[in-house]
Amino acid sequence: GELSGDICFNDVSFEYEAGKPVLSGVSFTVPQGGTLGIIGGTGSGKSTLMYLLDGLYAPTGGHITIGGRDISEIPNATLRANIGFVLQEGYLYTGTVRENIAAASPSDDLQAVRRAASAACVDENISSFPSGYETVVGERGVTLSGGQKQRVSIARTLLRKTPYLIFDDSLSAVDSETDAEIRSRLAREYGSSTVIMISHRITTVMNADNIIVMDEGRVAEQGTSEQLLALGGIYKRIYDLQMSLPDELKEGANEG
């Protein structure tokens, strides 16, 4: 069935092995239709949050609810049908670009496929390929760049029209301008979706309704970009560092 409502993490803790907490006492709410930005260094626990939301693992403490229902009571198939997950590594199947985008929704017509590709800023790239959307990609065809792969996998997820969208560092291989363009098109076309953006890059998260800063498995800071800048803590440090870098270095800093 269709899930709706707020996503709520209530005092969530998690450990892969006893005595080594990966997450400790994490609480936040993403109101339905709202956007949450999550920022934090490698190993801060930001991806683990999403594995828990996707039902891949169960929290060792606390509760995660969607629309007030504990996700332990929601079948995994329902969770996955409602949550569109875009991972950092865009995955390609050997086949045409069109088949790649429509992998999870093969019944969709080319118009729907192109609309999703356009929102992901990859329609122009694809249209310039020798056979357009029928161009074969992957091992036996055209090789796509990292950024193109990411955008194809964003389009694939958008085409599923899920009420919840999670981007797990999935704009890391595109430049800041394309990143901004994708986010504005998302807001325009998919504004009713509840969106979680995980990133190393401050510009990716700074326009979210709420931002949490993860540090060593805890929520170190939480608020809007303005509130966090005024706080003068971790967020402000990352902001100052990234905003002061010249553009070509910025791209490198974001890869990490």
Side-chain angles (χ1 to χ4, degrees):
E2 179 91 347
L3 295 179
S4 66
D6 303 354
I7 293 173
C8 238
F9 273 63
N10 191 353
D11 201 23
V12 171
S13 297
F14 179 71
E15 40 190 48
Y16 291 102
E17 47 181 309
K20 293 190 179 168
V22 180
L23 296 172
S24 311
V26 172
S27 297
F28 61 84
T29 297
V30 195
Q32 181 171 354
T35 54
L36 172 73
I38 303 180
I39 197 161
T42 308
S44 61
K46 54 190 194 306
S47 292
T48 306
L49 290 173
M50 297 309 112
Y51 301 150
L52 296 181
L53 185 58
D54 206 35
L56 208 58
Y57 299 103
T60 13
H63 294 278
I64 303 170
T65 57
I66 296 181
R69 286 172 71 188
D70 197 300
I71 67 165
S72 62
E73 291 159 22
I74 302 172
N76 272 348
T78 304
L79 276 179
R80 308 232 161 104
N82 283 274
I83 299 175
F85 216 127
V86 191
L87 300 168
Q88 181 172 357
E89 292 298 321
Y91 184 77
L92 286 186
Y93 310 93
T94 295
T96 64
V97 181
R98 178 182 176 164
E99 286 165 346
N100 264 281
I101 293 174
S105 13
S107 59
D108 279 295
D109 59 11
L110 184 60
Q111 213 176 344
V113 168
R114 287 199 68 165
R115 201 161 57 238
S118 174
C121 286
V122 74
D123 176 61
E124 280 177 27
N125 292 101
I126 295 167
S127 303
S128 72
F129 292 156
S131 313
Y133 279 80
E134 300 309 317
T135 303
V136 173
V137 292
E139 289 171 12
R140 293 196 288 283
V142 172
T143 306
L144 300 190
S145 70
Q148 287 172 336
K149 277 187 197 166
Q150 280 190 340
R151 284 176 285 161
V152 164
S153 57
I154 289 170
R156 181 191 298 151
T157 302
L158 293 180
L159 189 60
R160 292 177 50 208
K161 303 177 193 65
T162 55
Y164 300 93
L165 286 170
I166 296 168
F167 296 85
D168 192 354
D169 238 346
S170 30
L171 297 169
S172 59
V174 301
D175 60 64
S176 306
E177 272 168 53
T178 308
D179 176 333
E181 183 58 36
I182 291 171
R183 280 180 293 107
S184 81
R185 292 183 189 193
L186 274 177
R188 213 164 45 235
E189 295 264 339
Y190 299 88
S192 62
S193 299
T194 306
V195 177
I196 298 179
M197 284 270 181
I198 304 173
S199 185
H200 285 82
R201 188 189 283 171
I202 214 128
T203 48
T204 308
V205 300
M206 65 189 283
N207 297 315
D209 304 321
N210 186 35
I211 300 165
I212 61 174
V213 181
M214 293 296 294
D215 186 43
E216 296 187 349
R218 295 174 187 278
V219 177
E221 299 167 5
Q222 179 164 188
T224 62
S225 187
E226 281 168 13
Q227 289 166 337
L228 293 172
L229 288 174
L231 200 61
I234 300 175
Y235 183 88
K236 173 88 162 64
R237 273 211 311 278
I238 301 172
Y239 181 93
D240 289 344
L241 176 72
Q242 291 187 6
M243 293 306 189
S244 65
L245 291 173
D247 280 346
E248 58 276 15
L249 276 180
K250 265 194 194 130
E251 298 314 325
N254 298 330
E255 297 301 317

